[in-house]
Amino acid sequence: MIDTKKIKEEVIEKIKNVTDLKTLYDIRVKYIGKKGIISELVSNLGKLSIEEKKQYGPIINTLKQEVTRIFDDKNKEIELNILNEKLKNEKIDISLPSTKIPMGTPNILEKLIEEVEELLISLGYDVVDGPEVEEDKYNFEMLNIPKGHPARDAQDTFYIKGEEILLRSQTSPVQVRTMLACRGEKPVRMICPGKTYRRDDDDATHSHQFMQIEGLLVDKDISLSDLKGTIDIIVKKLFGENIETRFRPSYYQFTEPSVEVDISCFNCKGSGCHICKHTGWITVAGAGVVHPNVLRMCGYDPKAWSGFAFGFGAERLAMLKYGIDDLRVFYNTDLRESAIFDRKESE
Ligand code: DAH
């Protein structure tokens, strides 16, 4: 006669104080493992007569099910205890500083250019490109700066081949190329951010390579006030709504009248500081109404068409916007540059 009650109690007694899964598993194997006590009973059933099978079969099977459940429950209990113990011991110190994951940030000069591009695209401008290795014809002649003109001296140019092929000293030749492409037939709205080159000694505010953002609009009845409005929008977008613009008379061969664009100093609000050299104003661009000679040379009839143009110094804008005092920061791999950007962005 099998005393199932006794076996069950034996199991319960044996596992009562068990606290680890390995010991529990070993006991489990002893009872319901392949060759365990209860498994033996199950296989011995085969040797019994039908009558005996009918009598003991259900008893043994129930025993096996119940003992299995006892082991399963105990297993869960131990697992839970282990987990609780772990949670108790592995307290997370949330005051510990986290691991810093280094992240890339956009180059701040590129970022600034993108900002200007986005704004001007929303005003209907196209962003265009032009060659950096340029012909004298586009860089100077068709901008109303003939050979031998003293205005050329101001732009110490890198000549590549004789006097005809050079590294563009300004992005203004892209104005010429764009107008020529439009054949004097349709209005033009373009900006061209791009690299320019001059034989300058490199220091904190000069570089032999720098970027300009050129803009040109040609249409019917365009005047200086259209230029003023456009410049004002750009400046306010970059430096804030309270920034004022001032236009001083200037001289460029390819514009008439020509102006120098100043913005009110965002730092001292006009009272005078080191950024504005105590004048309250900062120069950010050259601009003007497109000279009739330029329109004519580029295929536009100055009697029917008029336009304005402007040229910003991109590094200068970025230096002002991000408070950088050395232009070389944009062209070396000094990671503090992205730190400046991170800081300004989160302000
Ligand atoms: N190209 C000029 C320079 O490099 C800047 C400039 C002045 C561009 C007036 C213009 C303009 O488009 O209208 O100094």
Side-chain angles (χ1 to χ4, degrees), residues 143 155 169-173 175 196 198 210 212-216 227 251-252 254-255 257-260 285-290 308-313:
L143 287 165
Q155 303 192 358
S169 58
Q170 48 186 352
T171 41
S172 304
Q175 290 186 26
T196 52
R198 288 185 200 176
F210 55 101
Q212 292 187 332
I213 306 175
E214 191 79 22
L216 170 72
L227 168 70
Y251 179 76
Y252 292 102
F254 37 92
T255 44
S258 302
V259 292
E260 212 76 21
V289 171
V290 182
F308 66 73
F310 56 82
F312 284 95

Side-chain angles (χ1 to χ4, degrees), residues 126 128 174-190 216 218 298-300 305:
D126 286 328
V128 301
V174 186
Q175 290 186 26
V176 176
R177 289 179 172 275
T178 310
M179 281 190 273
L180 288 173
C182 293
R183 298 161 178 275
E185 286 161 4
K186 53 183 183 187
V188 177
R189 279 179 196 211
M190 72 90 183
L216 170 72
V218 178
C298 296
Y300 280 81
W305 299 90

Side-chain angles (χ1 to χ4, degrees), residues 44-56:
N44 283 341
L45 279 174
K47 295 176 196 152
L48 301 179
S49 67
I50 293 185
E51 280 311 304
E52 284 168 326
K53 270 185 196 157
K54 268 189 189 159
Q55 192 188 347
Y56 295 117

Side-chain angles (χ1 to χ4, degrees), residues 21-76:
L21 294 170
K22 168 83 176 71
T23 316
L24 182 72
Y25 179 76
D26 291 345
I27 303 171
R28 183 187 181 108
V29 170
K30 261 189 207 140
Y31 285 89
I32 49 174
K34 256 192 182 152
K35 293 192 171 131
I37 297 164
I38 298 173
S39 312
E40 289 284 305
L41 291 175
V42 175
S43 46
N44 283 341
L45 279 174
K47 295 176 196 152
L48 301 179
S49 67
I50 293 185
E51 280 311 304
E52 284 168 326
K53 270 185 196 157
K54 268 189 189 159
Q55 192 188 347
Y56 295 117
I59 295 171
I60 292 170
N61 278 330
T62 311
L63 173 69
K64 191 174 179 190
Q65 279 167 13
E66 283 176 356
V67 171
T68 306
R69 216 193 56 237
I70 290 167
F71 278 116
D72 287 348
D73 287 351
K74 184 71 183 174
N75 208 81
K76 274 187 203 143

